[in-house]
Amino acid sequence: MADDLQRAYRQRFAERAAYREAVWQILVGEFFQRWIPRESRVLDLGCGWGEFINHVAAAQRYGMDLNPDSAAHLDAGVTLIAQDCSQNWPLDDGSLDVVFSSNLFEHFPSKDALQAALTQAARCLRTGGRLICLGPNIRYVKGEYWDFWDHHLPLTDRSMSEVLQVLGFRIEHCWPRFLPYTMSRGKTPPLSLVRLYLRMPWCWPLFGKQFLIIAEKLGSPTPE
């Protein structure tokens, strides 16, 4: 499984790795960092080659992934947790301030596995901590969603919001359309346009096919 993940990631992203890195530097610096205080303890769930977590300013940074290549790409200040994220996380209750995930949840083999991972996130986040998740919205991606062999779960902003609320989160912000679908295929717009796009949220419903949800962990107990 880990070897398959390694090969798939290289096949999809190696050719455009430098471009992806530059785009994520902009996304973090000009958008996501505002939701992540610099004293935070942050976990990047499904961190891949560290495109997000390497650019985050935080007191403690963790990445969780099964990809054997992750270790070679993460900054020295990022602690790698190499495991299946639907299994028990080796982190204490309430030990995290932010859990971030991009384009991971659609790869889970079942809703039970996804809920198990989200339950671990709820356990490890402190009360008031945030879960930030980004992923393809099947309502807008439609048939293109299945062009990737390892996509399993068709999710929308509504289904994700519902399960998060069941697990004890409050939805702070929900954008059904945020970013275009993928950087592994298609165009590579100039970085100046990426910056401009982030500053023009009225454009997001025209081009966005990925949802973005920011959810706050409430103080109520997490279901077993």
Side-chain angles (χ1 to χ4, degrees), residues 187-203:
K187 300 178 181 178
T188 52
L191 298 178
S192 58
L193 287 184
V194 176
R195 291 189 175 92
L196 185 61
Y197 182 82
L198 290 175
R199 297 168 188 168
M200 301 172 67
W202 59 267
C203 284

Side-chain angles (χ1 to χ4, degrees), residues 13-169:
F13 302 124
E15 183 178 346
R16 300 182 180 181
Y19 179 77
R20 284 172 52 82
E21 188 78 16
V23 168
W24 272 104
Q25 186 172 10
I26 293 169
L27 291 175
V28 172
E30 301 193 16
F31 188 83
F32 287 111
Q33 188 70 60
R34 75 187 68 176
W35 309 105
I36 305 171
R38 292 177 181 267
E39 66 275 11
S40 294
R41 300 155 296 174
V42 181
L43 170 67
D44 184 359
L45 193 58
C47 62
W49 290 355
E51 294 95 337
F52 169 81
I53 197 66
N54 285 346
H55 296 293
V56 171
Q60 289 181 283
R61 297 180 296 166
Y62 300 91
M64 186 179 294
D65 208 298
L66 281 172
N67 190 335
D69 284 342
S70 293
H73 290 272
L74 295 179
D75 282 353
V78 178
T79 300
L80 175 63
I81 304 172
Q83 70 161 70
D84 179 344
C85 58
S86 66
Q87 302 302 310
N88 189 61
W89 298 1
L91 297 167
D92 293 335
D93 295 1
S95 60
L96 297 173
D97 299 294
V98 177
V99 172
F100 175 88
S101 188
S102 172
N103 289 265
L104 171 68
F105 296 160
E106 66 272 18
H107 298 281
F108 278 78
S110 68
K111 288 186 176 181
D112 287 344
L114 174 55
Q115 185 164 341
L118 294 174
T119 299
Q120 286 298 307
R123 178 184 67 79
C124 293
L125 281 166
R126 65 170 175 81
T127 299
R130 286 190 175 110
L131 187 146
I132 303 172
C133 59
L134 169 68
N137 193 328
I138 191 68
R139 197 158 61 245
Y140 306 117
V141 177
K142 299 183 180 178
E144 290 179 86
Y145 182 87
W146 303 110
D147 289 344
F148 293 93
W149 173 251
D150 53 353
H151 280 190
H152 297 284
L153 290 184
L155 300 167
T156 71
D157 56 298
R158 295 174 187 171
S159 59
M160 279 304 308
S161 294
E162 184 172 61
V163 70
L164 289 173
Q165 289 169 322
V166 166
L167 293 175
F169 288 89

Side-chain angles (χ1 to χ4, degrees), residues 207-220:
F207 301 101
K209 292 186 177 182
Q210 297 192 54
F211 61 76
L212 173 62
I213 298 172
I214 301 175
E216 176 192 14
K217 178 187 171 180
L218 301 177
S220 56

